[in-house]
Amino acid sequence: KIEELEQLLKLENKFRRKENKAAVIHTAALAAKISELQARLVAAGLPLDPAIDREMKGFDAWDTRNVAASPLDLRDTDDFKFRTFDSLPPMTSKHKSLMKNLLKEEKLKEMLKLNTSFGNTICNMIQAGVTVPTLPYGVACTDSDCPSVFNELYLAMVRGIHGLDPMKDKFETNLSAAGMALGE
């Protein structure tokens, strides 16, 4: 019995060594691809900013910890994990969304207590804006209850996007081609 276990252990160790070797080769290939892509960006006139790279590396480290700390969600998949935030995420200078400008710590704390009848939370709504810094708005309407449950945020978003207050102003739609200003 001991000899059989020793043989199995040898086979497992051999398998793990092969796996580790494959992982090292794969990591080296990824590093080479990253270097190639960075060189192409620089050649295209898009130099890399080391300060922003450090800032994004810090954000990515925070996001990795946040993903690990977020509880299991039945909607999680192998490629996607719903995150939960207990405080305002540390947005970087690359985060350009309207949500970054509108959402403050105290408001987030209030909204963390709310959820829609479908079970969605403020965390679900802002996740895309947190994880994809270049999104212009940063808030997703995850279900039909969101605008009423998170009304204050939605009104602020409408004000920011359209420049008018939906509670006071009237948005006029003109779909007539005659009203379009065309260039020469």
Side-chain angles (χ1 to χ4, degrees):
K1 186 82 174 170
I2 291 175
E3 288 176 7
E4 190 177 312
L5 289 173
E6 286 176 342
Q7 193 65 16
L8 285 172
L9 184 60
K10 283 181 184 179
L11 285 172
E12 186 175 334
N13 285 337
K14 183 178 178 181
F15 177 73
R16 287 182 187 228
R17 281 192 299 275
K18 282 184 178 180
E19 271 188 336
N20 285 342
K21 187 176 180 181
V24 167
I25 291 169
H26 184 68
T27 301
L30 288 175
K33 185 68 174 174
I34 289 170
S35 294
E36 175 197 338
L37 291 172
Q38 287 175 335
R40 287 174 61 189
L41 286 171
V42 171
L46 301 167
L48 303 175
D49 184 340
I52 290 178
D53 283 349
R54 278 191 299 279
E55 184 182 23
M56 286 308 295
K57 283 180 184 174
F59 175 80
D60 289 342
W62 170 86
D63 189 45
T64 300
R65 288 189 306 274
N66 184 268
V67 167
S70 293
L72 178 67
D73 188 297
L74 295 176
R75 300 168 292 177
D76 289 347
T77 67
D78 291 340
D79 299 333
F80 184 85
K81 172 127 171 95
F82 282 91
R83 291 149 171 83
T84 56
F85 311 111
D86 55 6
S87 62
L88 197 62
M91 310 269 190
T92 68
S93 62
K94 281 196 172 186
H95 284 84
K96 304 294 184 193
S97 72
L98 182 57
M99 178 266 300
K100 175 187 176 183
N101 298 327
L102 295 176
L103 192 59
K104 304 299 178 210
E105 183 73 36
E106 56 278 358
K107 289 295 175 195
L108 177 67
K109 291 281 186 189
E110 290 173 22
M111 287 189 271
L112 284 171
K113 300 170 189 168
L114 306 173
N115 59 336
T116 69
S117 64
F118 296 92
N120 288 305
T121 66
I122 187 67
C123 298
N124 302 137
M125 291 171 42
I126 67 170
Q127 179 171 335
V130 171
T131 59
V132 183
T134 56
L135 291 178
Y137 305 121
V139 175
C141 185
T142 54
D143 66 52
S144 59
D145 287 349
C146 288
S148 57
V149 173
F150 303 101
N151 185 276
E152 190 174 340
L153 178 60
Y154 274 89
L155 289 176
M157 294 293 293
V158 169
R159 286 183 200 108
I161 294 166
H162 298 290
L164 45 92
D165 186 339
M167 304 310 286
K168 298 177 189 171
D169 302 324
K170 184 174 186 214
F171 185 80
E172 298 205 17
T173 302
N174 180 0
L175 299 177
S176 168
M180 293 178 67
L182 301 174
E184 293 180 41

